[in-house]
Amino acid sequence: MAEQLTKEEILDAAEQVLRRFGPEKTSVVDVARALNISHGTIYRHYPSKASLREAVAERWLHSIISPLKDVFQKDCTSSERLHEWVKTLIHIKHSLVKEDPELFTMYTTLAEESVEVIGAHIQELVGQIIPIIQEGIANHEFKTANAEETAKGIFMATARFHHPAHAKEWASPTIEEEFDLVWKLILSGILK
Amino acid sequence: MAEQLTKEEILDAAEQVLRRFGPEKTSVVDVARALNISHGTIYRHYPSKASLREAVAERWLHSIISPLKDVFQKDCTSSERLHEWVKTLIHIKHSLVKEDPELFTMYTTLAEESVEVIGAHIQELVGQIIPIIQEGIANHEFKTANAEETAKGIFMATARFHHPAHAKEWASPTIEEEFDLVWKLILSGILK
């Protein structure tokens, strides 16, 4: 029975235990107990507590950004698509904080423990901006530029609105207005 | 003797006590003891512990950004001045973290306790960017735009590099390169 456990099932259990006890108090033994298996079985899939936490953070980061894919289906200009993509990313983050600030803090804390997990997350996001820039260059909407550099620049320039370190500021009544000012500046920098 | 104490002397003492004991353990009585006066004398100048902490944070924020004034003396183009101003702000923040991360955290924690102190600090900084934008518009270097909105946009778009919430990321080997990408985007948005 224990042998048939998938990685997904272990992560589901780890997530539940982490939510219940918090990252400080959660051990691999707790997760094993929740699954009614020996902790050795978990170690076969995840060689350390750190790698289990990393995998939980990775799966969470990957799942929260899945709504971004819809932006690529829309029939619109490249600057509209870019705006929609960034606004969707911001909306996802702000909603998660609003719904359950403690849970958001827990997951971001787990993620921040691993430079690799954060690096891969940023790369995945920037990797979604690049084709939008390329599309805008191809249809003569955007100035010709290095699409990858522009994508990175846009991601970094909007950090205040999607980076979890700013979560406390997202409740500010002027946050939308501030984003619009940054967006105006970015658009002015890329539009032909 | 106690009656002749200036606000500055009280803040000097408060700063020393805060550095020694940390914000959690510092009381107004501790500050009074360090000055060899009654805590009533401090309350005459600062009606609460919170207002004393606010005043310490305010003075610190004001002092750290004083080197920015030199940027206005230089004989250079407006985009060079803008770049120099932002780079100087970033250099100030990064140096403070490098020199004494705990002290930096202490002061920023004090500052973050007061929305007014932070608001005034941001306003002071944005207020320094505005004349640089106006100068650039006047000498036809920058596109005509709302100088205040552009200044705010530039300040927000560079948050990743000067906002204390990102202090941990400033040690990254790619931080300079990331700034250059954001800067390129901003310049492209304002240059004629």
Side-chain angles (χ1 to χ4, degrees):
Chain A
M1 164 70 188
E3 297 307 312
Q4 288 150 23
L5 269 179
T6 63
K7 282 192 162 194
E8 287 300 307
E9 286 166 316
I10 293 174
L11 293 183
D12 288 341
E15 211 163 55
Q16 279 173 28
V17 176
L18 280 163
R19 284 176 188 229
R20 206 178 315 140
F21 300 143
E24 298 309 315
K25 288 177 195 156
T26 296
S27 70
V28 172
V29 172
D30 294 324
V31 180
R33 197 174 296 139
L35 286 162
N36 208 14
I37 57 172
S38 78
H39 58 274
T41 307
I42 294 183
Y43 283 125
R44 222 169 297 144
H45 292 278
Y46 298 101
S48 66
K49 185 178 163 183
S51 71
L52 181 59
R53 289 160 77 115
E54 248 184 58
V56 168
E58 207 171 1
R59 191 172 72 158
W60 178 73
L61 285 173
H62 197 76
S63 74
I64 61 164
I65 63 171
S66 72
L68 286 170
K69 281 174 201 130
D70 298 342
V71 174
F72 293 91
Q73 310 305 325
K74 300 211 169 157
D75 186 24
C76 59
T77 66
S78 300
S79 55
E80 282 165 353
R81 193 181 316 286
L82 188 59
H83 187 248
E84 179 84 8
W85 188 92
V86 177
K87 288 290 273 186
T88 305
L89 176 65
I90 291 172
H91 178 74
I92 292 167
K93 299 282 184 98
H94 292 207
S95 301
L96 287 167
V97 171
K98 225 173 163 181
E99 275 164 29
D100 195 336
E102 280 174 28
L103 196 65
F104 184 79
T105 305
M106 186 199 87
Y107 279 116
T108 52
T109 306
L110 285 183
E112 278 162 10
E113 281 171 10
S114 166
V115 178
E116 287 77 21
V117 168
I118 293 289
H121 177 59
I122 295 177
Q123 222 171 352
E124 185 176 1
L125 291 172
V126 171
Q128 292 194 6
I129 308 177
I130 295 171
I132 309 179
I133 306 296
Q134 285 170 332
E135 175 196 62
I137 293 171
N139 64 23
H140 309 290
E141 201 179 325
F142 298 160
K143 293 172 198 169
T144 309
N146 181 319
E148 191 182 335
E149 284 187 7
T150 306
K152 272 190 196 167
I154 293 170
F155 186 75
M156 302 294 169
T158 51
R160 180 177 163 74
F161 310 100
H162 55 67
H163 191 299
H166 291 277
K168 279 186 196 158
E169 298 161 71
W170 295 341
S172 158
T174 55
I175 195 83
E176 294 260 353
E177 194 185 305
E178 284 163 19
F179 173 74
D180 290 343
L181 294 180
V182 170
W183 192 250
K184 213 168 155 180
L185 193 61
I186 289 175
L187 262 198
S188 170
I190 59 173
L191 282 183
K192 262 204 175 165
Chain B
M1 165 65 187
E3 296 307 313
Q4 292 152 18
L5 268 180
T6 64
K7 282 190 161 196
E8 287 299 306
E9 286 166 318
I10 293 174
L11 294 183
D12 288 342
E15 214 165 55
Q16 278 173 30
V17 176
L18 280 163
R19 284 178 188 228
R20 207 179 313 140
F21 300 143
E24 297 310 313
K25 288 179 193 153
T26 297
S27 70
V28 173
V29 172
D30 293 324
V31 179
R33 196 175 294 139
L35 286 162
N36 208 14
I37 58 172
S38 78
H39 58 276
T41 308
I42 294 182
Y43 283 124
R44 221 170 296 145
H45 292 279
Y46 297 101
S48 67
K49 185 178 162 182
S51 71
L52 180 59
R53 287 160 77 112
E54 248 182 59
V56 167
E58 206 171 3
R59 191 172 72 159
W60 178 73
L61 285 174
H62 197 77
S63 74
I64 60 164
I65 63 170
S66 71
L68 287 170
K69 283 176 198 123
D70 299 343
V71 174
F72 294 90
Q73 310 305 324
K74 300 211 169 154
D75 187 23
C76 58
T77 66
S78 299
S79 55
E80 282 166 354
R81 194 182 314 288
L82 189 59
H83 188 247
E84 178 85 8
W85 188 91
V86 177
K87 288 290 276 185
T88 304
L89 176 65
I90 292 171
H91 178 74
I92 291 167
K93 300 281 184 97
H94 292 208
S95 301
L96 287 167
V97 171
K98 224 172 164 183
E99 274 164 28
D100 195 334
E102 282 175 28
L103 197 65
F104 184 79
T105 304
M106 187 199 85
Y107 279 117
T108 52
T109 306
L110 285 182
E112 278 161 11
E113 283 170 9
S114 167
V115 178
E116 287 77 21
V117 168
I118 293 288
H121 177 60
I122 294 176
Q123 221 170 353
E124 186 177 359
L125 291 172
V126 171
Q128 291 193 8
I129 308 177
I130 294 171
I132 308 179
I133 306 296
Q134 286 169 332
E135 177 197 61
I137 294 171
N139 64 25
H140 309 289
E141 200 178 327
F142 297 159
K143 294 173 197 167
T144 310
N146 182 318
E148 193 182 335
E149 284 187 6
T150 306
K152 272 189 196 169
I154 293 171
F155 186 74
M156 302 295 169
T158 51
R160 180 177 164 76
F161 310 100
H162 54 67
H163 191 300
H166 292 276
K168 278 185 198 160
E169 298 161 71
W170 296 341
S172 157
T174 54
I175 195 82
E176 294 261 353
E177 193 187 306
E178 284 163 19
F179 173 75
D180 290 343
L181 294 180
V182 170
W183 193 250
K184 211 168 156 183
L185 193 61
I186 290 175
L187 261 197
S188 170
I190 59 173
L191 282 183
K192 261 203 176 173

